[in-house]
Amino acid sequence: MRKPARKINNGGRDRVIGNFPSYKMGCMVEWDSQVERDFLFYLEFDDDVIEYHPQPIKYRYSLKNKYHNHFPDFEVVRRSTPKLKYVEVKTYSTTQKPEFIEKTAAITAAMERDGFDYAVVTDVDLRVQPLFGNLKLLYRYIWQELPPVETNSLLNDVNRIHNGILTLSDLKYLAESHGLQLVDCYAAIAKKYFEFELATHPLGPDTLLRLSQVQING
């Protein structure tokens, strides 16, 4: 990961900052607010995101005939487009302030002229349930190592016995017959061996899981 263009600190203010253990980037990622931290869960699970970097650049733009420096919160590199995307992550209340709206319009126009995408993401966009809760839950298990022999045997049985579709409760029962535990089931879901309606159904014992197409075609 590149060195940030701006050092993150709380400046003596009553603000929470921290580090996020990124599975995708393989390192600790600094976040400047709790809303930024929440955004990281989406970047981690988005297959279109190849990599991302916090506080990536110092960007110069003009507003009211004066030049200003802007430090976007994140740079996002995607498979679907060669254009770099810069993202500002703020609370919704902040984005409604006239000065923020004016500043964002100027930055967006400048970014477009320079061939970049620019977007603002808020806590209202991110903290949508049950999607956000599912992402946070699954991220607890993404680091869990799965034994390859037992896992492949389990996946084959899911396809053979259940035609690739079963509940989490049924998966747990089947996993135990292969020497695996519930934490391994969660890890398999986090690593996308299985799919479910992430945005509309909280993950629980009765959640219907489907073996991913990658595994079926595999």
Side-chain angles (χ1 to χ4, degrees):
M1 177 169 288
R2 300 197 304 265
K3 183 179 179 180
R6 179 176 70 88
K7 182 176 176 59
I8 291 177
N9 62 73
N10 61 13
R13 293 176 290 173
D14 186 18
R15 187 178 70 187
V16 180
I17 62 174
N19 293 286
F20 182 92
S22 171
Y23 185 79
K24 179 170 286 186
M25 297 300 295
C27 64
M28 299 298 288
V29 175
E30 291 182 310
W31 48 264
D32 200 21
S33 70
Q34 290 172 310
V35 187
E36 286 187 20
R37 177 204 59 195
D38 295 347
F39 182 55
L40 295 175
F41 290 103
Y42 286 84
L43 294 176
E44 289 289 325
F45 281 104
D46 188 341
D47 290 335
D48 191 46
V49 173
I50 300 172
E51 61 185 76
Y52 61 88
H53 304 275
Q55 308 294 323
I57 60 171
K58 180 170 71 173
Y59 185 75
R60 192 168 174 82
Y61 70 99
S62 176
L63 177 61
K64 295 180 178 178
N65 298 317
K66 292 183 179 180
Y67 283 102
H68 306 268
N69 291 324
H70 174 57
F71 295 88
D73 291 323
F74 294 98
E75 177 185 282
V76 181
V77 181
R78 292 187 172 275
R79 291 184 172 86
S80 59
T81 175
K83 294 176 69 174
L84 291 178
K85 184 168 189 174
Y86 293 100
V87 182
E88 189 73 4
V89 185
K90 292 288 181 283
T91 60
Y92 178 77
S93 59
T94 296
T95 66
Q96 300 308 294
K97 297 177 180 179
E99 58 270 26
F100 182 88
I101 295 172
E102 185 178 43
K103 172 184 173 181
T104 299
I107 295 171
T108 301
M111 286 273 188
E112 287 179 354
R113 286 194 299 270
D114 289 337
F116 303 125
D117 283 334
Y118 185 71
V120 175
V121 177
T122 75
D123 53 331
V124 174
D125 301 318
L126 299 173
R127 294 169 183 170
V128 178
Q129 300 298 346
L131 175 58
F132 182 54
N134 283 332
L135 296 180
K136 289 181 68 177
L137 171 63
L138 290 174
Y139 202 72
R140 300 178 197 170
Y141 302 96
I142 200 153
W143 299 90
Q144 174 82 7
E145 292 292 335
L146 292 171
V149 174
E150 291 84 350
T151 301
N152 287 334
S153 180
L154 170 63
L155 297 176
N156 287 333
D157 274 359
V158 168
N159 200 29
R160 179 177 61 85
I161 300 172
H162 295 273
N163 199 28
I165 302 174
L166 76 175
T167 65
L168 177 57
S169 180
D170 290 334
L171 178 63
K172 174 180 176 292
Y173 178 80
L174 189 60
E176 289 172 347
S177 70
H178 290 269
L180 300 172
Q181 302 176 14
L182 181 59
V183 293
D184 299 305
C185 297
Y186 280 116
I189 300 169
K191 296 175 190 292
K192 300 188 178 180
Y193 290 108
F194 294 92
E195 302 168 346
F196 73 102
E197 298 299 330
L198 196 71
T200 58
H201 292 78
L203 183 58
D206 296 328
T207 300
L208 195 63
L209 306 173
R210 294 176 177 81
L211 202 61
S212 73
Q213 288 301 311
V214 173
Q215 298 304 315
I216 292 172
N217 298 332

